[in-house]
Amino acid sequence: MTAIARLAAVSVDCADAAVLADFYRRLLDAEVFFESDDFVALKGAGVMLTLQRVQNYRPPEWPGDVSPKQLHLEFAVEDLDAAEQQVISLGARRADVQPSPDRWRVLLDPAGHPFCLMHPIPGA
């Protein structure tokens, strides 16, 4: 079967695109492809990651459903402890709920989006 489309980017809503883009740029060692006051596109992470400012942004709650998460990014790392400390130094914070901290760590980016650090998936 021939694909109708290909995934070009993942966009993340936030209150300040520049701040969130800087966090993910450093986390992924990506480069700024395009930026404006309300939008930043990063490339070099396998797929383009874009961050866009939205009016009245409300961060998601995790876990919870008052303001549910709209997306959840997963990042493969070799050493969970070391990677966790590094991303915290970039501005992330550890989520209060950690369902399986020996296999993955849930963190919140500077805009409050939950993301996970996880061991690489064999064959992925």
Side-chain angles (χ1 to χ4, degrees):
M1 178 176 195
T2 304
I4 295 169
R6 68 174 181 81
L7 180 63
V10 174
S11 295
V12 179
D13 290 350
C14 59
D16 189 330
V19 168
L20 197 56
D22 185 58
F23 172 79
Y24 282 108
R25 180 189 58 77
R26 294 186 297 152
L27 174 66
L28 301 169
D29 192 26
E31 65 182 77
V32 174
F33 178 71
F34 172 84
E35 66 184 313
S36 70
D37 290 341
D38 296 329
F39 184 85
V40 181
L42 301 176
K43 70 176 187 174
V47 67
M48 188 157 317
L49 180 65
T50 65
L51 304 300
Q52 57 191 13
R53 185 179 68 83
V54 296
Q55 293 293 331
N56 303 315
Y57 170 74
R58 285 183 21 204
E61 289 182 12
W62 189 90
D65 60 3
V66 173
S67 181
K69 66 179 179 174
Q70 292 81 34
L71 86 110
H72 187 101
L73 299 172
E74 305 273 346
F75 299 103
V77 299
E78 295 298 326
D79 183 325
L80 286 173
D81 293 328
E84 179 179 8
Q85 291 308 308
Q86 288 175 307
V87 298
I88 288 171
S89 76
L90 296 177
R93 66 188 190 280
R94 193 171 212 255
D96 291 335
V97 176
Q98 296 292 321
S100 188
D102 57 319
R103 294 177 31 212
W104 71 84
R105 307 286 167 78
V106 182
L107 292 110
L108 305 174
D109 72 17
H113 299 104
F115 68 93
C116 285
L117 302 176
M118 55 182 271
H119 292 293
I121 298 170

